[in-house]
Amino acid sequence: MNPKAVDIVIVNWNAGAQLMRCLQSIRSSAAHAHCTVRVIDNGSSDGSLEQAEAAFEGEDVAFVRAGANLGFGKACNRGARLGSAEFILFLNPDAELRKDALAQALALLRSPAHARTGICGVQLVDEHGHVARSCARLPNAARMAAHALGLTRRFPRLGYAMGEWPHDATRQVGHVIGAFYLVRRSLFEALGGFDERFFLYFEDLDFSCRAQRAGWASWYVATAQALHAGGGTSRQIKARRLFYSLRSRLLYARKHFSAVGWACVAAATLVAEPLARLLQALVCLSWASARETTAAYAMLWRWLLGPAGQEPSP
């Protein structure tokens, strides 16, 4: 590898101690000497930015204060524009590199056999060592509607998440999630980066879809690992997290599916899914879940019925 072959972009929003562990894992990585790290802070208020600055600034780690929550895709784009390395790794602050994970992913992208591979992910494990089902097929309208209707819980092959596959082999996939998302800079710039209309969720799936349509493949490396807590800092705002996920799903369907496909996904998302979620919450006597579902859908309907681009109030 050439020096500074990789720009690592981390978007921080109140990640607490997770950000420190993430940066420490990069420092301990076999590829550390070849990386420049940029932390884009989306208006954190928990002291995580200041703590990380005190410990890491000046060691090939730069901290950029966005001043507000730009959203994940927009903050990633800002971080990417600040670098010039051949590859960009978008790494979640709740992720930690293991040993030579980055080196293995880079080796795959640099191999002649993968000249048309533009995106690479690695095996993600949680705190208990369980392998996450992190890869996906690129969805069509039927798969996305099946997910919204909850059918994939009983019949996972109907959906786009590859939950039925144990993620135990290196292979080409439709999509690797953005917790560890290694991309060729040339491809990222050619496609204009992440679509900033996706404030949170689906921006990586949208990019993988556009990359495939442009003739580039996504690969998953099972022999390389990164720890991923899952949920990250969005655990703090469950109702708002659900709202952003639902909104991004509708945006994705509108962008990539036919009018009929969009209508099917919208009907499943706006009618069937909230009823199913509320019924499940009532059966489980989970009043917190019922409140979160109600709040999320209230935000979603305010967004749908309000002025274009308007962010709902919490």
Side-chain angles (χ1 to χ4, degrees):
M1 288 184 295
N2 296 324
K4 311 310 177 190
V6 187
D7 286 319
I8 300 180
V9 177
I10 301 168
V11 177
N12 180 56
W13 182 77
N14 294 332
Q18 290 179 329
L19 178 61
M20 291 286 288
R21 292 194 293 269
C22 177
L23 292 172
Q24 181 60 54
S25 76
I26 296 170
R27 176 189 280 176
S28 303
S29 167
H32 172 240
H34 307 282
C35 302
T36 298
V37 183
R38 291 179 178 84
V39 177
I40 310 300
D41 187 77
N42 269 351
S44 295
S45 58
D46 67 340
S48 56
L49 175 65
E50 293 75 15
Q51 184 182 16
E53 280 182 320
F56 291 97
E57 192 166 32
E59 298 184 17
D60 293 322
V61 181
F63 295 86
V64 179
R65 285 176 164 79
N69 195 341
L70 304 180
F72 183 76
K74 188 172 184 177
C76 282
N77 287 346
R78 181 169 179 177
R81 285 194 298 268
L82 296 174
S84 59
E86 181 181 4
F87 300 98
I88 310 168
L89 173 61
F90 298 100
L91 187 66
N92 276 15
D94 63 342
E96 299 173 33
L97 299 182
R98 293 280 179 85
K99 298 180 181 178
D100 60 347
L102 178 53
Q104 284 197 52
L106 286 168
L108 181 139
L109 288 178
R110 288 184 178 278
S111 67
H114 286 275
R116 292 301 296 178
T117 298
I119 303 165
C120 186
V122 301
Q123 188 178 79
L124 302 177
V125 298
D126 64 16
E127 300 96 325
H128 307 292
H130 300 141
V131 176
R133 303 302 196 254
S134 57
C135 297
R137 311 167 185 89
L138 292 179
N140 56 28
R143 291 187 184 279
M144 192 166 279
H147 176 81
L149 292 170
L151 298 177
T152 54
R153 294 174 187 166
R154 292 288 302 274
F155 308 102
R157 291 181 183 274
L158 292 178
Y160 55 94
M162 300 176 74
E164 76 286 351
W165 171 50
H167 285 57
D168 56 355
T170 297
R171 57 172 285 186
Q172 183 176 345
V173 296
H175 170 61
V176 295
I177 69 168
F180 180 110
Y181 199 77
L182 182 63
V183 188
R184 295 182 189 272
R185 177 176 290 277
S186 58
L187 171 61
F188 193 75
E189 293 180 348
L191 296 184
F194 292 120
D195 185 337
E196 296 179 3
R197 288 175 294 181
F198 297 94
F199 185 87
L200 184 64
Y201 302 119
F202 283 81
E203 66 288 307
D204 51 349
L205 182 63
D206 168 72
F207 187 89
S208 295
C209 178
R210 290 186 286 132
Q212 186 178 96
R213 289 176 180 173
W216 292 89
S218 295
W219 272 73
Y220 166 84
V221 181
T223 55
Q225 280 191 343
L227 185 147
H228 181 224
T233 54
S234 64
R235 285 174 172 171
Q236 305 165 24
I237 48 168
K238 292 182 179 179
R240 202 165 184 83
R241 177 179 67 180
L242 176 58
F243 157 69
Y244 282 126
S245 177
L246 296 169
R247 183 177 78 162
S248 290
R249 182 198 298 166
L250 294 178
L251 288 171
Y252 185 96
R254 173 72 67 140
K255 181 175 181 178
H256 293 287
F257 302 155
S258 66
V260 172
W262 146 253
C264 290
V265 173
T269 301
L270 297 171
V271 180
E273 184 174 2
L275 293 176
R277 284 180 176 273
L278 287 172
L279 179 61
Q280 183 180 15
L282 292 175
V283 169
C284 298
L285 299 179
S286 176
W287 311 121
S289 179
R291 286 194 300 270
E292 290 158 5
T293 297
T294 302
Y297 273 91
M299 286 187 277
L300 185 64
W301 277 105
R302 286 201 297 271
W303 170 70
L304 285 168
L305 299 175
Q310 176 177 291
E311 286 289 332
S313 57

